[in-house]
Amino acid sequence: MRFFCTGSFHRDLDGSQLCCLKNRESLRQNPEIFQGYCRISVSAFDILLASLRSGLTFQDTNMRRSRSPEERLLLTLRFLATGNSFASLHYEYLLGISTISGIVCHTCQLIWQHLRDAVMPQPKAEDWLRIADGFYKSSQFPNCIGALDGKHIRVKKPPHSGSQYFNFKQYFSIVLLALGDSNYRFIIVDIGAYGSTADARIFCSSRMGERLRANQLALPEPRRLPGSSASAAPFVIVADEGFALSPHVMQAFPRRDLDDQKRIFNYRLSRARRYVECAFGILSNKWRVFMSSLQMSPQNATLVIQAFVILHNFTRIHDVPSEPEVAPFPTTTSVGLDHNPQGRPGSAGLAVRELLLNSC
């Protein structure tokens, strides 16, 4: 038995699709409603669309018309902004659930590939110096090149995964480990680790941690601390007590038997460390997909996490006015401190922490 398709099966726009299209076009007429709909401004949306248009353009066929780049991007941003299920977006956009899933994953992958070098490039020595100057201006913590922390992204339990993704907060998750600056932007991220893995272990096994231990992050030479005549100190990353103390990873003093100088040091370190936590808060508040678990495979969830990390930096650049540049501190050569000290890493970290303590 044969079946023949008539012209009624051709995918033209019916009345309901035209209505949805007109509603989406009317969003651009009201910038406030547009930003509430997809969490970015009209101008930022146009810049983002121009960067992704070539990858979002598909050829029409005799069987169906391809969805426009504008609709594909708007659909993806709406998913990230609301966290609505694909079944819910199916009724809003009149597309199949599998089609929506393919569009979202493909667009997220394009966002990561096309914008990563533009909004989250690999820092150079002058970039690290600018970041350190920003931290000193905002938190009075010297020689800080970033705040390090991890965030658990809730996901649906993958089949046959056991307890690999089950974290100490009693739900299944993927870990986003991020290094942030004082402008609430992400500098380096590691995405996709099991939720059951500790942040410190993720950092040690990540490419970021390996390159930091091998001195391959293009860090500037140690410089003398402001207001101090002591030896030049290396640049450090601030983190919580869950990370091991090392020459380039700094944590607070234990909370017992603290004098005033150590309390000031801990206070300033906490002020510097809160920037990455605030960046996570801004990320979660803007992209409401965090409010529920991601109902997709870990591979697709990683694509979504990569996309909103890039979109977070993108909106911080294009939707937030930039602050004036901070005058850098004069640099000096390293004196009296071995850049790669021998012995236990904890001992070297203690020596660096004492140097930083003297500047408080």
Side-chain angles (χ1 to χ4, degrees), residues 11-23:
R11 190 163 183 173
D12 291 325
L13 292 176
D14 57 20
S16 58
Q17 288 176 308
L18 284 172
C19 181
C20 292
L21 181 60
K22 290 179 180 179
N23 289 336

Side-chain angles (χ1 to χ4, degrees), residues 112 120 147-155 167 173-179 186-195 197 199 202-203 208 243 276 279-281 283-284 287 290 301-302 304-310 312:
W112 173 260
M120 199 171 60
L148 181 67
D149 202 2
K151 180 175 178 60
H152 289 270
I153 310 298
R154 191 187 296 264
V155 297
N167 62 32
S173 65
I174 289 176
V175 179
L176 164 62
L177 186 71
L179 182 69
F186 298 121
I187 308 170
I188 304 174
V189 295
D190 183 88
I191 303 170
Y194 297 137
T197 310
D199 291 347
I202 296 172
F203 176 70
M208 171 173 48
F243 295 88
V276 68
F280 286 144
L283 187 73
S284 301
W287 309 108
F290 278 139
T302 300
V304 171
I305 297 171
Q306 289 175 342
F308 57 62
V309 164
I310 296 300
H312 172 83

Side-chain angles (χ1 to χ4, degrees), residues 251-264:
Q251 61 173 235
F253 284 95
R255 298 181 182 180
R256 59 184 181 276
D257 300 329
L258 293 177
D259 55 23
D260 290 342
Q261 192 176 19
K262 291 182 179 179
R263 286 194 183 92
I264 294 174

Side-chain angles (χ1 to χ4, degrees), residues 56 58 67-69 71-76 86 95-110:
L56 294 176
F58 291 85
R67 293 293 170 171
S68 65
E71 187 175 2
R72 289 173 175 270
L73 181 57
L74 198 62
L75 168 62
T76 302
F86 293 152
L95 293 172
I97 296 177
S98 61
T99 302
I100 292 176
S101 175
I103 290 176
V104 168
C105 294
H106 176 256
T107 306
C108 288
Q109 186 176 18
L110 284 179

Side-chain angles (χ1 to χ4, degrees), residues 137-315:
K137 179 183 177 182
S138 59
S139 62
Q140 287 75 55
F141 194 90
N143 285 22
C144 176
I145 57 171
L148 181 67
D149 202 2
K151 180 175 178 60
H152 289 270
I153 310 298
R154 191 187 296 264
V155 297
K156 180 181 68 173
K157 180 184 181 299
H160 312 296
S161 62
S163 60
Q164 286 181 326
Y165 292 90
F166 195 71
N167 62 32
F168 69 98
K169 298 182 180 181
Q170 308 300 308
Y171 60 83
F172 297 92
S173 65
I174 289 176
V175 179
L176 164 62
L177 186 71
L179 182 69
D181 64 9
S182 60
N183 291 319
Y184 309 105
R185 301 176 191 168
F186 298 121
I187 308 170
I188 304 174
V189 295
D190 183 88
I191 303 170
Y194 297 137
S196 60
T197 310
D199 291 347
R201 184 177 178 183
I202 296 172
F203 176 70
C204 290
S205 60
S206 66
R207 187 181 179 189
M208 171 173 48
E210 293 175 352
R211 296 188 65 184
L212 180 64
R213 290 191 298 270
N215 290 325
Q216 295 178 352
L217 286 181
L219 297 182
E221 291 295 322
R223 69 179 179 186
R224 188 165 298 164
L225 301 174
S228 175
S229 59
S231 302
F235 289 84
V236 297
I237 293 170
V238 294
D240 58 26
E241 292 82 358
F243 295 88
L245 183 68
S246 71
H248 289 294
V249 179
M250 198 54 46
Q251 61 173 235
F253 284 95
R255 298 181 182 180
R256 59 184 181 276
D257 300 329
L258 293 177
D259 55 23
D260 290 342
Q261 192 176 19
K262 291 182 179 179
R263 286 194 183 92
I264 294 174
F265 177 89
N266 286 359
Y267 170 70
R268 293 183 177 180
L269 186 142
S270 298
R271 288 184 62 183
R273 190 171 58 83
R274 70 181 173 88
Y275 280 97
V276 68
E277 297 177 355
C278 291
F280 286 144
I282 295 171
L283 187 73
S284 301
N285 189 57
K286 179 181 284 289
W287 309 108
R288 297 302 180 90
V289 70
F290 278 139
M291 298 301 178
S292 60
S293 62
L294 295 174
Q295 301 296 313
M296 53 184 64
S297 66
Q299 292 76 19
N300 290 340
T302 300
L303 293 177
V304 171
I305 297 171
Q306 289 175 342
F308 57 62
V309 164
I310 296 300
L311 289 173
H312 172 83
N313 280 13
F314 181 85
T315 54

